[in-house]
Amino acid sequence: MSSDLSLNINIKEPRWDQGTFMGRAQHFFMVTDPRNVLLSSETLEEARVIVENYRSGVVKPGLTEDELWRAKYVYDSAFHPDTGEKMFVIGRMSAQVPMNMTITGCMLTFYRTTPAVVFWQWVNQSFNAVVNYTNRSGDAPMTLNQLGAAYVSATSGAVVTALGLKSLATRLPPIVSRFVPFAAVAAANCINIPFMRQRELKYGIPVMDENGNRLGESPNAAKQAIAQVVVSRIGMAVPAMAIPPVIMNALEKRAFLKRFPILNAPVQVGLVGLWYVKYFFLISNKSFLVIK
């Protein structure tokens, strides 16, 4: 089909040079752009058609290169890379910043009472379970029993860890209690992710050569990948869950927050969001690999 747009654009790779800081930063911000969560089904379907047609050598008349790349990132934000199925909205990468900053901020704010600890750890692990299931390998379908076991185990592990450390922290300086949510999240990640990906650990994940040809499945590759996921998830939580508690411990002693304690949660959420943005700059600068 004739078109001014070249068919040689490689949309399998990021648009920007990943060998530069700005290239990596632009790519990560496009992948995690929260605005994509608000896109309508019609917009997502239009992006899917553009991308799949382009891959087949069919170009929409009048399509520009900018429009093609925009469609590619919209498509990637909503459709599973292996199965092509539309992903559940809060499990998408574009939902990670607003969801994580809200849940993390609330975990760090409401840590003083047992019901609040239990509730927010349950919310966090429910969200994690959705993300892990949504981004599972397309070659490793999970049964409801496996999903249920992973969810219950991770939630129980997080709640038990949080309550146990909360009890111990009563004998330590008050600021120590603020780090209980982080310890609970770290413990839960060590349980949740391997459980959610247990089929991959048993049967392996696809291994490709440099030309993209599938060579087979490797349990060893799955173990390495899942170990990196666990480490990266805990590492991702460090800036947002270890630094804001120190800042909030100082701010809550100020007259303003003492007078308006209702602002504690919004301020905490804002601080967490700030550190998530800084984290994305960090991984862009250092080119860290965070594997789904």
Side-chain angles (χ1 to χ4, degrees):
M1 180 175 181
S2 61
S3 172
D4 293 334
L5 186 63
S6 170
L7 290 173
N8 297 323
I9 300 172
N10 184 8
I11 60 173
K12 292 182 179 180
E13 299 295 331
R15 181 177 188 179
W16 297 279
D17 180 8
Q18 298 302 284
T20 67
F21 164 71
M22 284 308 300
R24 291 190 295 271
Q26 287 175 293
H27 172 68
F28 279 114
F29 277 107
M30 284 295 290
V31 167
T32 60
D33 188 346
R35 294 175 298 177
N36 287 338
V37 173
L38 305 176
L39 296 177
S40 66
S41 297
E42 292 76 15
T43 300
L44 296 178
E45 180 62 21
E46 181 181 3
R48 184 189 66 80
V49 171
I50 290 174
V51 170
E52 292 184 351
N53 282 350
Y54 187 83
R55 289 173 177 171
S56 301
V58 179
V59 180
K60 177 182 176 182
L63 184 71
T64 66
E65 183 173 350
D66 285 340
E67 290 172 340
L68 173 63
W69 281 111
R70 172 60 182 161
K72 176 261 194 304
Y73 277 104
V74 167
Y75 174 84
D76 288 348
S77 77
F79 294 90
H80 194 283
D82 294 334
T83 66
E85 297 176 353
K86 187 185 293 185
M87 296 184 287
F88 187 52
V89 63
I90 66 171
R92 301 172 188 171
M93 287 300 101
S94 51
Q96 296 310 292
V97 171
M99 291 297 298
N100 272 305
M101 64 183 285
T102 301
I103 295 173
T104 302
C106 288
M107 282 195 295
L108 295 176
T109 301
F110 306 110
Y111 67 93
R112 292 183 173 88
T113 67
T114 296
V117 169
V118 172
F119 175 75
W120 285 107
Q121 289 296 330
W122 168 73
V123 170
N124 186 51
Q125 292 311 315
S126 298
F127 172 65
N128 286 341
V130 170
V131 172
N132 289 333
Y133 182 76
T134 302
N135 293 279
R136 70 197 183 283
S137 170
D139 293 288
M142 295 187 66
T143 67
L144 290 178
N145 287 339
Q146 291 172 324
L147 178 61
Y151 173 66
V152 171
S153 298
T155 304
S156 300
V159 170
V160 169
T161 300
L163 294 180
L165 293 177
K166 180 176 180 295
S167 178
L168 292 173
T170 57
R171 287 166 275 179
L172 298 172
I175 192 172
V176 175
S177 297
R178 293 180 178 271
F179 294 96
V180 168
F182 171 63
V185 166
N189 275 322
C190 294
I191 299 170
N192 193 11
I193 295 169
F195 254 107
M196 291 294 291
R197 313 290 279 268
Q198 58 186 291
R199 184 178 177 84
E200 296 170 44
L201 289 170
K202 183 176 181 179
Y203 297 106
I205 58 176
V207 177
M208 312 288 187
D209 64 17
E210 63 275 10
N211 297 317
N213 299 314
R214 185 166 178 159
L215 303 177
E217 288 74 36
S218 170
N220 286 334
K223 292 176 184 178
Q224 293 179 28
I226 291 171
Q228 291 180 51
V229 173
V230 173
V231 172
S232 68
R233 290 285 178 86
I234 295 174
M236 286 172 64
V238 170
M241 300 194 75
I243 298 174
V246 177
I247 298 174
M248 287 301 298
N249 190 61
L251 290 178
E252 287 182 5
K253 296 176 182 178
R254 305 284 181 176
F256 181 75
L257 283 183
K258 284 184 177 180
R259 184 178 179 184
F260 302 103
I262 195 173
L263 296 178
N264 282 13
V267 171
Q268 187 87 260
V269 170
L271 285 173
V272 172
L274 175 65
W275 285 104
Y276 271 118
V277 171
K278 287 190 175 182
Y279 169 76
F280 283 117
F281 272 111
L282 173 65
I283 59 177
S284 297
N285 191 32
K286 299 299 184 181
S287 192
F288 289 162
L289 178 63
V290 181
I291 304 175
K292 291 184 182 180

